[in-house]
């Protein structure tokens, strides 16, 4: 069975702190894709990153970075020097790799509150 | 470029009433999905479609029906609304391919309250 677990329900930090959002996944597939989406208070879902199972290189995009470790089935997301605008619900998601219908399996979401 | 448009954005229903949520996409995407979002449960797939005229059940299909008569539209129907269907509903679409790499584009959501 496929499953995504985001154990942190809510995180509260003060602006400029670094924060890491954890994501652990379960799958029997050898080919799969992992995603992070952001849901700001306005409610829409914004795509942040996609990673395939064969690419374990960490990725950095500005203040955002992602650490993918197949050995621990984790795909963690770090925000460096957090800002109030980072306050949102963040979802990690998993998708089969091939011959599939593109269904995303979402984690429960982590609500991040960045206080000024 | 509208992307994925959901109507209505808000709706209040009484138990037993019926309604239809409309999802329209202008990106010529093959695949379309309906998810519901509930606190502490993330997004769960209700139904999906891999092309015009096709539909399939997702994780939580009971109490819902869907139709994809036109490629650009995906309708979600509640025949007899129940309070347990109070939720925020999201429609999404993506290009058609066997790969799971394609990114889903989401609509803005429809908040449904069933009294």
């Amino acid at each position: 069975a496929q499953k995504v677990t985001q154990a942190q329900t809510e995180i509260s930090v003060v602006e400029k702190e670094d924060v890491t959002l954890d994501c652990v996944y379960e799958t029997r597939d050898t080919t799969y894709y992992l995603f992070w989406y952001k849901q700001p208070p306005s409610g829409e879902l914004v795509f942040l990153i996609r990673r395939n199972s064969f690419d374990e290189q960490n990725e950095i995009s500005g203040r955002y970075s992602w650490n993918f470790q197949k050995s621990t089935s984790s795909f963690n997301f770090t925000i460096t020097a957090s800002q109030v605008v980072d306050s949102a619900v963040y979802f990690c998601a998993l998708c089969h790799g091939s011959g599939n219908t593109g269904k995303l399996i979402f984690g429960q979401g982590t609500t991040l509150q960045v206080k000024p | 470029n509208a992307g994925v448009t959901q109507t209505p954005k808000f709706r209040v229903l009484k138990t037993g009433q019926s309604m239809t949520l409309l999802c329209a996409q202008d990106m010529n995407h093959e695949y379309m999905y309906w998810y519901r979002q509930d606190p502490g449960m993330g997004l769960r797939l209700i139904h999906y479609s891999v092309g015009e005229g096709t539909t399939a059940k997702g994780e939580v299909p009971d109490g819902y029906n869907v139709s994809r008569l036109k490629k650009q539209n995906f309708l979600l129907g509640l025949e007899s609304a129940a309070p347990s269907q109070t939720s925020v509903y999201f429609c999404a679409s993506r290009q058609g391919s066997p790969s799971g790499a394609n990114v889903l584009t989401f609509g803005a959501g429809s908040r449904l309250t069933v009294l």
Side-chain angles (χ1 to χ4, degrees):
Chain A
Q2 298 200 329
K3 185 179 179 181
V4 176
T5 301
Q6 295 178 254
Q8 304 151 308
T9 305
E10 294 183 11
I11 301 176
S12 181
V13 300
V14 176
E15 208 170 19
K16 298 184 182 178
E17 285 185 17
D18 297 347
V19 59
T20 295
L21 309 182
D22 297 334
C23 173
V24 174
Y25 63 92
E26 296 176 26
T27 181
R28 294 181 180 176
D29 294 337
T30 55
T31 303
Y32 51 89
Y33 294 85
L34 295 163
F35 300 78
W36 276 95
Y37 278 84
K38 174 183 180 180
Q39 185 178 42
S42 54
E44 76 275 20
L45 284 148
V46 179
F47 166 74
L48 294 178
I49 190 172
R50 173 190 62 212
R51 217 65 180 141
N52 74 58
S53 52
F54 297 106
D55 183 0
E56 288 193 71
Q57 283 191 343
N58 291 334
E59 182 157 338
I60 298 174
S61 177
R63 297 184 296 105
Y64 294 172
S65 62
W66 290 269
N67 180 261
F68 176 29
Q69 292 193 339
K70 288 180 74 172
S71 60
T72 56
S73 297
S74 64
F75 186 42
N76 296 337
F77 172 29
T78 297
I79 302 174
T80 303
S82 60
Q83 300 176 2
V84 172
V85 293
D86 295 326
S87 297
V89 182
Y90 291 87
F91 291 99
C92 180
L94 168 70
C95 185
H96 287 286
S98 60
N100 76 96
T101 53
K103 296 178 288 183
L104 283 184
I105 298 168
F106 285 84
Q108 303 91 321
T110 297
T111 300
L112 174 64
Q113 183 182 29
V114 182
K115 299 178 180 178
Chain B
N1 50 346
V4 178
T5 303
Q6 295 180 225
T7 53
K9 289 185 169 48
F10 302 94
R11 184 75 186 269
V12 178
L13 287 177
K14 294 181 179 179
T15 297
Q17 288 185 321
S18 63
M19 75 157 295
T20 300
L21 295 175
L22 170 63
C23 177
Q25 52 94 3
D26 61 1
M27 298 170 285
N28 201 34
H29 285 174
E30 287 292 333
Y31 294 5
M32 297 186 75
Y33 310 84
W34 275 108
Y35 284 88
R36 61 177 288 174
Q37 181 181 8
D38 302 290
M41 304 189 76
L43 279 79
R44 294 178 293 168
L45 183 64
I46 305 171
H47 285 282
Y48 64 98
S49 168
V50 299
E52 181 179 319
T54 73
T55 63
K57 295 180 180 180
E59 180 185 355
V60 288
D62 293 343
Y64 304 95
N65 56 74
V66 288
S67 64
R68 184 100 181 267
L69 298 179
K70 294 183 178 180
K71 185 177 183 179
Q72 64 268 33
N73 295 338
F74 194 30
L75 279 63
L76 177 71
L78 286 72
E79 290 185 349
S80 180
S84 60
Q85 294 177 303
T86 294
S87 187
V88 180
Y89 292 85
F90 285 95
C91 177
S93 70
R94 75 171 183 98
Q95 293 177 348
S97 84
S99 168
N102 299 63
V103 175
L104 266 62
T105 300
F106 283 86
S110 297
R111 184 175 294 275
L112 175 65
T113 301
V114 183
L115 303 177

